[in-house]
Amino acid sequence: MAFEGLAERLQGTIQRIKGKGKVSEADVKEMMREVRFALIEADVNLKVVKEFVKKVSERAVGADVMKSLTPGQQVIKIVKDELTELMGGDQSPIQFANKPPTVIMMVGLQGAGKTTTTGKLANILRKKYNRNPLLVAADIYRPAAIQQLQTIGKQLSFPVFSLGTDVSPVEIVRQALEKAKEDHNDVVIIDTAGRLHIDEALMQELKDIRALKEPDEVFLVVDSMTGQDAVNVAQNFNETVGITGVILTKLDGDTRGGAALSIRSVAQKPIKFVGMGEKMDALEAFHPERMASRILG
Ligand code: GDP
């Protein structure tokens, strides 16, 4: 279960402060020591932990909190507010093009869940937004990836555009955009090659695709279970390639949640969706406030 470890760690300290009729600065300090410990154990970026603890501490020892009738609950509310803020505040919606088709590019490292997530995202676009997406197999370096996307397309009844492995990704996208126009697909989701690391070829590919049509969204798919590595990958992709948002996969198996808590603050890009399982309906919009509630119980 996502965040289980962190939630468990925080429960004790929350229960203790909740019931207090009076809260002293020492109580807040003690609580924040435990919060800091819990966040570090959850693999949250150290700088993020430091800033978080400082912000909460400053607000919590304010006179309005200390003198209120329910100081313990106020302190917990501050922790919840700041956790929500840390994860991006409001839920971040999909950006659609004013004039269709909306172009969404999926990028990421191999094995992060990019192809699976392409199918899941198409599902959400159809069910929730009533859109009619075309999936584009632009991973020409791995024939199995094209097959995998075709299988997913078949399973979910989505058209998949492919020109095999001999045509360049930019040409595939160019023709896919034409096809989308003909067939009235209002969203085009491009499954780009999964990389082992960010390289020149990827940069060039993205540049070429951008020259055809600037994507409305560039989603980085990262594996939540890789913790701070996921955060570094997000920062790196954002600086070199430029992304508009993050999709964090495998949160269902991540008891720690360090990536979910750090990415927004470190990479400066919102988490838009989270993968919660292998099934095709296991993708959810990321709601920072709900996540914070889940963590705090
Ligand atoms: P790609 O190389 O990035 O395209 O990765 P794939 O889409 O092939 O996914 C790699 C593995 O991760 C597959 O076994 C997926 O079923 C699995 N996977 C993807 N997303 C999730 C998720 O949110 N939760 C879980 N538990 N598994 C996932």
Side-chain angles (χ1 to χ4, degrees), residues 107-118 120 139 142 145 148 152 191-195 221-225 247-254 274-280 282-283:
V107 298
L109 302 184
Q110 243 174 51
K114 192 169 44 56
T115 305
T116 311
T117 306
T118 300
K120 290 176 175 176
D139 184 353
R142 222 166 46 98
Q148 193 188 345
I152 288 171
D191 186 22
T192 66
R195 309 288 165 155
V221 179
V222 279
D223 178 347
S224 175
M225 308 264 279
I247 300 183
L248 199 58
T249 61
K250 310 183 196 181
L251 195 65
D252 50 308
D254 182 10
V274 284
M276 298 299 286
E278 292 195 81
K279 294 218 178 95
M280 278 299 139
L283 187 71

Side-chain angles (χ1 to χ4, degrees), residues 170-236:
V170 66
E171 182 57 23
I172 294 172
V173 172
R174 197 186 65 72
Q175 292 194 31
L177 289 172
E178 277 178 12
K179 180 90 171 117
K181 214 170 179 184
E182 271 168 34
D183 295 352
H184 303 289
N185 296 109
D186 46 14
V187 182
V188 173
I189 311 179
I190 306 165
D191 186 22
T192 66
R195 309 288 165 155
L196 293 173
H197 52 84
I198 302 169
D199 57 21
E200 267 305 305
L202 170 67
M203 306 281 287
Q204 196 52 48
E205 205 172 289
L206 293 175
K207 265 190 215 153
D208 293 346
I209 292 173
R210 283 200 154 132
L212 281 179
K213 188 178 187 307
E214 182 63 24
D216 301 284
E217 294 276 18
V218 179
F219 286 149
L220 171 71
V221 179
V222 279
D223 178 347
S224 175
M225 308 264 279
T226 60
Q228 288 313 293
D229 277 346
V231 179
N232 294 337
V233 167
Q235 190 178 18
N236 208 336

Side-chain angles (χ1 to χ4, degrees), residues 27-248:
D27 291 331
V28 171
K29 234 180 170 169
E30 167 71 23
M31 181 191 187
M32 291 321 293
R33 224 191 334 262
E34 288 178 40
V35 169
R36 176 190 285 135
F37 204 67
L39 291 176
I40 289 172
E41 219 174 60
D43 195 25
V44 177
N45 174 285
L46 276 181
K47 198 166 152 245
V48 172
V49 174
K50 231 175 170 175
E51 276 166 20
F52 179 83
V53 167
K54 186 164 168 253
K55 256 194 205 158
V56 174
S57 302
E58 274 169 14
R59 282 185 64 191
V61 297
D64 47 337
V65 174
M66 295 298 192
K67 292 210 177 95
S68 73
L69 288 174
T70 52
Q73 285 174 21
Q74 303 275 348
V75 172
I76 290 161
K77 186 175 177 306
I78 292 168
V79 173
K80 190 184 157 197
D81 287 352
E82 292 296 338
L83 271 181
T84 304
E85 211 42 50
L86 187 61
M87 289 185 281
D90 291 331
Q91 197 254 327
S92 186
I94 300 181
Q95 294 300 319
F96 288 104
N98 291 328
K99 191 170 159 279
T102 294
V103 175
I104 300 176
M105 269 184 90
M106 309 293 279
V107 298
L109 302 184
Q110 243 174 51
K114 192 169 44 56
T115 305
T116 311
T117 306
T118 300
K120 290 176 175 176
L121 184 63
N123 232 351
I124 287 186
L125 286 163
R126 176 164 61 195
K127 279 193 187 146
K128 196 168 162 213
Y129 297 93
N130 210 13
R131 308 274 164 154
N132 173 28
L134 173 68
L135 314 187
V136 182
D139 184 353
I140 58 166
Y141 309 100
R142 222 166 46 98
I146 298 179
Q147 266 170 25
Q148 193 188 345
L149 193 67
Q150 279 166 337
T151 305
I152 288 171
K154 215 172 192 178
Q155 184 192 338
L156 301 172
S157 301
F158 287 116
V160 175
F161 186 87
S162 162
L163 293 175
T165 54
D166 296 334
V167 181
S168 74
V170 66
E171 182 57 23
I172 294 172
V173 172
R174 197 186 65 72
Q175 292 194 31
L177 289 172
E178 277 178 12
K179 180 90 171 117
K181 214 170 179 184
E182 271 168 34
D183 295 352
H184 303 289
N185 296 109
D186 46 14
V187 182
V188 173
I189 311 179
I190 306 165
D191 186 22
T192 66
R195 309 288 165 155
L196 293 173
H197 52 84
I198 302 169
D199 57 21
E200 267 305 305
L202 170 67
M203 306 281 287
Q204 196 52 48
E205 205 172 289
L206 293 175
K207 265 190 215 153
D208 293 346
I209 292 173
R210 283 200 154 132
L212 281 179
K213 188 178 187 307
E214 182 63 24
D216 301 284
E217 294 276 18
V218 179
F219 286 149
L220 171 71
V221 179
V222 279
D223 178 347
S224 175
M225 308 264 279
T226 60
Q228 288 313 293
D229 277 346
V231 179
N232 294 337
V233 167
Q235 190 178 18
N236 208 336
F237 263 82
N238 190 42
E239 282 168 5
T240 53
V241 172
I243 58 173
T244 58
V246 173
I247 300 183
L248 199 58

